[in-house]
Amino acid sequence: MILVSGISLPFEEEEGAAIPKARKILGLSGGEAFIYRRSLDARRRQDIRYLYTVGFRAGKEAEEAAARRKDSRIRLHQEPAWEPPRGTSPLSSRPVVAGFGPAGIFCALLLARCGYRPIVLERGGPVEDRTAAVERFFQTGTLDRRNNVQFGEGGAGAFSDGKLTTRIGDPRCAQVLRALVEFGAPPEIERRAKPHVGTDRLREVVRRLREEILRCGGEVRFYTQLTGLRLSGGTLQGIETNEGQLAAEALVLALGHSARDSFSMLLQSGAEMEAKAFSVGARIEHLRAQVDEALYGRYAGHPKLPPGEYQLSLRRGERGVYTFCMCPGGTVIPSASEEGGLVVNGMSEYARNGVNSNSALCCAVTPEDFGRGPLDGVRFQQELERTAFRLGGGDFCAPIQTVGRFLAGQPGAQLGTIRPSYLPGVREADFSALYPDFVQEMLRAGLRAFGRRQPGFDRPDAVLTAVESRTSSPVRVKRDESFQSNLRGIYPCGEGAGYAGGILSAAVDGLRVAEAVMARFAPPAG
C-alpha cells in the first residue's frame, strides 16, 4: 500500500476531492485509491480544514516509483503479517479469563478463534441485564452491586462514549478496530483520527463479540466471580469462584480498575503489587453549542463539522491538571459500584446530540500523596467517594458546585443556562469539604488557564459534578516479560492490572496476553 499524507482541504469540501490531489503528488493515475485517515484541524477558527491521508493499492512497479520520489508525504505501508504463536505443552485445563471488559473480551476472542476454548468469568451479567440495571440506577438511585457502570459484560467502557483513541502505536490497534467493525461498529472508526462507537452501538457490538466467542468454542459464565486462587509452590493449580472451584493452569486477570475486593484477594495470595499514580477531580459541563462556538467560531453548528471536542492540559512543577474522556453531547452519569460511595463519569451515544457536553477535569495524584502501600490508592479513592456520597445527601444524588463559586471559594451553585444532566439528581455542595487543598489548587489553576485558551471554559455557570475518582487503576499487578505474575500461570491484563488506559489500549493488551498464553501452551486436549 502507498500512503500519501498531509492533504489539506477546507472542511466544506467533499472528502473525495483529496484523491486527485494525492494522485498528483504521487504521479500515479491508476490504482485503487481510498481515504485512509481523516482528522479535523480547527486550530484556526477562520480556516477550519480536514487533513487526509489517501491510500493506494498498487503493484510493485508503482511502489518502486513511489519509493524513488523525494517527498516526505509519500510512504510505503505494509500491514504486518500475523501468525498465532503456538506453544508445545498442551494445557491440562481450559484457560480462564476473569473479567469481560475490553481486555477480557479480546483476549478470549483470540484464544477462542485459535482453538483454546477459554472459560470467561464475569461477576456481572450479560449486557442486556446490565443495561436494565444501569437505567434503573439512573432513574431511582437503586444500586445493583453486580450490574452497574463498572461491572458486567463490556466493562466500564460499555457506558462511556466508546472512544477508541490511544497514544500507543501497536499494530494490534488495527486488529481491534477491524474486529469492532466486523461485529457492528461504524466502519468509519478505521479511518477517523478520533474514532468513537457510542454507548448505544457499543452494547450491540459487545453482545455480538460474545456470540463469536461462544461460536468458536468459548464459554462465558455470568454472575461468576473469582474469589480465590489455589496455588502450589507459587504456581497456579486452580481457582475458586462463588459458583465453586475450577482447575486452571492459565488464568488471565482482566479485572478492571474497580475490582477492589479482587485486588485484596490477590495481595493476600502473594501477588506482587504496587500503588500507581492516577487522577481525581470532577466532571465539567457546558452547553454543547457553547463548546462548538468556542472551537469553531462562526462555523459552529455547520453540518459538516462534528460536535466540538477539546483536550486541555497544564503542568505545574511535578503535577498536572487536564481534561480527558470528553463526551460531546453527552451526560454525566452515576458510576458507583459500592454502597455508600459516589462516583461520576461521562457518557455519549453515537449521535452525540445531547444539549450538554462534558469532560473530566482532573488532577494527578501519586503514591507520595496517599501512601506507598499497594492498596493505599484504593483507600484514597474510597475516602473521596464516601465524602461525595455524604455531600450529595446519601442517596446517590451528586454534589455540584458552579465554576464561578468554586473559583471564588464560595459553596453552592449559581445555575444559569447550563443545567446539570446527572441523574438521579444533584445537590449544591462545598468542594473544600471534599478535595485535599492541593487538588483544589490544581483544579482552579486548570480552570483559569483553560479559560484563557478556550473562551467560556471557565464561565461562572459551568457545572462541576463530583467526584471523578476512577480515572485509571490505583494499582499495578506486576508481571514479567512473559506477561506472568510472580505467581506462575497468572497473567495480569488490561487497565485494572495497570497496563492500559481506555478501551483500545485495554483490548490490545488483551491480545498481547492471549499471544503470551499461546506462546507457552498448546490448546487443551479434548
Side-chain angles (χ1 to χ4, degrees):
M1 186 190 304
I2 303 169
L3 298 180
V4 181
S5 60
I7 299 169
S8 175
L9 295 176
F11 78 91
E12 294 164 298
E13 283 197 42
E14 295 298 327
E15 65 177 27
I19 292 176
K21 287 182 175 290
R23 289 192 186 280
K24 184 176 180 180
I25 293 169
L26 189 58
L28 183 71
S29 58
E32 176 193 352
F34 56 95
I35 302 298
Y36 180 81
R37 187 65 47 86
R38 187 183 85 169
S39 62
L40 182 68
D41 181 0
R43 289 173 294 178
R44 292 181 294 174
R45 296 193 301 170
Q46 300 306 312
D47 185 23
I48 299 173
R49 307 180 77 83
Y50 278 113
L51 303 179
Y52 295 93
T53 297
V54 175
F56 291 87
R57 300 194 187 280
K60 184 177 180 181
E61 183 178 344
E63 291 180 359
E64 290 173 348
R68 290 193 296 269
R69 294 181 78 89
K70 304 300 182 184
D71 193 321
S72 61
R73 294 172 293 178
I74 301 171
R75 71 183 191 274
L76 299 179
H77 174 77
Q78 184 172 351
E79 294 287 343
W82 185 83
E83 287 292 330
R86 290 291 183 179
T88 56
S89 176
L91 280 164
S92 59
S93 55
R94 294 164 69 182
V96 177
V97 178
F100 206 41
I105 288 172
F106 277 86
C107 181
L109 178 67
L110 184 54
L111 289 172
R113 283 180 157 177
C114 292
Y116 284 75
R117 299 183 294 114
I119 297 172
V120 179
L121 310 180
E122 169 53 55
R123 69 165 70 196
V127 71
E128 299 91 340
D129 291 4
R130 187 183 179 203
T131 299
V134 167
E135 290 177 352
R136 185 165 58 249
F137 182 37
F138 290 177
Q139 297 298 324
T140 68
T142 302
L143 176 68
D144 183 332
R145 294 192 62 181
R146 297 183 303 177
N147 287 319
N148 48 64
V149 171
Q150 307 296 345
F151 299 141
E153 183 178 27
F159 290 88
S160 59
D161 179 58
K163 279 177 283 292
L164 301 171
T165 51
T166 182
R167 293 193 179 109
I168 65 172
D170 196 301
R172 296 175 186 83
C173 291
Q175 285 182 253
V176 173
L177 294 175
R178 278 195 297 270
L180 291 171
V181 171
E182 178 185 353
F183 294 102
E188 67 263 22
I189 67 171
E190 292 193 78
R191 58 192 184 98
R192 295 288 187 261
K194 294 183 178 181
H196 83 287
V197 181
T199 295
D200 48 341
R201 296 196 179 190
L202 189 58
R203 296 169 190 165
E204 179 63 18
V205 174
V206 165
R207 183 187 65 78
R208 291 177 180 176
L209 284 163
R210 179 223 308 165
E211 291 174 349
E212 174 69 1
I213 291 168
L214 298 178
R215 187 189 69 80
C216 294
E219 181 181 349
V220 181
R221 300 184 183 182
F222 291 114
Y223 302 112
T224 304
Q225 181 179 346
L226 175 70
T227 57
L229 307 174
R230 290 192 286 118
L231 303 164
S232 177
T235 299
L236 184 69
Q237 303 294 311
I239 62 171
E240 297 174 0
T241 79
N242 60 314
E243 297 293 333
Q245 295 186 347
L246 274 176
E249 194 175 354
L251 169 66
V252 177
L253 293 174
L255 300 170
H257 59 42
S258 295
R260 294 165 171 171
D261 48 3
S262 298
F263 295 153
S264 296
M265 179 273 290
L266 290 171
L267 188 62
Q268 292 168 7
S269 299
E272 292 182 357
M273 300 166 62
E274 62 184 0
K276 62 176 279 292
F278 57 102
S279 298
V280 298
R283 282 272 149 183
I284 183 167
E285 283 192 279
H286 304 89
L287 294 178
R288 176 167 57 91
Q290 292 168 349
V291 175
D292 289 353
E293 184 177 357
L295 296 176
Y296 301 144
R298 62 190 176 93
Y299 295 115
H302 194 287
K304 287 196 174 182
L305 289 173
E309 291 184 75
Y310 56 79
Q311 187 172 348
L312 302 163
S313 64
L314 173 71
R315 191 148 196 92
R316 287 250 177 118
E318 296 301 312
R319 201 182 298 280
V321 58
Y322 62 102
T323 67
F324 89 113
C325 189
M326 201 262 163
C327 296
T331 56
V332 179
I333 61 171
S335 302
S337 57
E338 300 175 357
E339 294 288 352
L342 190 141
V343 189
V344 300
N345 199 356
M347 182 178 79
S348 296
E349 296 193 341
Y350 178 72
R352 291 178 159 182
N353 60 358
V355 173
N356 287 2
S357 291
N358 71 81
S359 74
L361 175 68
C362 286
C363 163
V365 293
T366 71
E368 284 74 20
D369 300 315
F370 52 74
R372 292 193 169 277
L375 300 183
D376 284 349
V378 171
R379 284 187 278 271
F380 182 78
Q381 285 179 329
Q382 288 177 314
E383 289 172 6
L384 285 173
E385 292 166 13
R386 289 166 183 163
T387 302
F389 186 75
R390 291 194 299 271
L391 290 175
D395 56 1
F396 290 109
C397 286
I400 65 166
Q401 199 166 355
T402 44
V403 164
R405 286 184 175 268
F406 178 66
L407 288 174
Q410 299 171 346
Q414 188 170 356
L415 296 175
T417 58
I418 305 162
R419 313 305 295 184
S421 63
Y422 178 95
L423 293 174
V426 298
R427 291 192 173 92
E428 296 181 19
D430 182 356
F431 285 178
S432 67
L434 173 61
Y435 300 111
D437 288 345
F438 73 88
V439 173
Q440 295 181 63
E441 290 169 7
M442 287 302 295
L443 295 180
R444 289 189 176 107
L447 284 165
R448 293 186 178 106
F450 302 158
R452 291 190 291 271
R453 293 184 211 169
Q454 182 173 304
F457 188 88
D458 61 345
R459 57 182 295 143
D461 64 342
V463 178
L464 296 167
T465 308
V467 60
E468 174 102 19
S469 54
R470 310 273 184 100
T471 54
S472 64
S473 182
V475 305
R476 178 171 288 109
V477 186
K478 294 184 179 181
R479 69 188 187 192
D480 61 18
E481 63 278 358
S482 72
F483 292 83
Q484 293 182 81
S485 162
N486 63 301
L487 304 177
R488 310 313 286 172
I490 293 178
Y491 295 79
C493 179
E495 187 165 347
Y499 296 99
I503 293 172
L504 188 54
S505 62
V508 164
D509 201 57
L511 295 178
R512 296 171 71 204
V513 169
E515 290 170 11
V517 172
M518 294 191 295
R520 182 182 176 198
F521 296 108

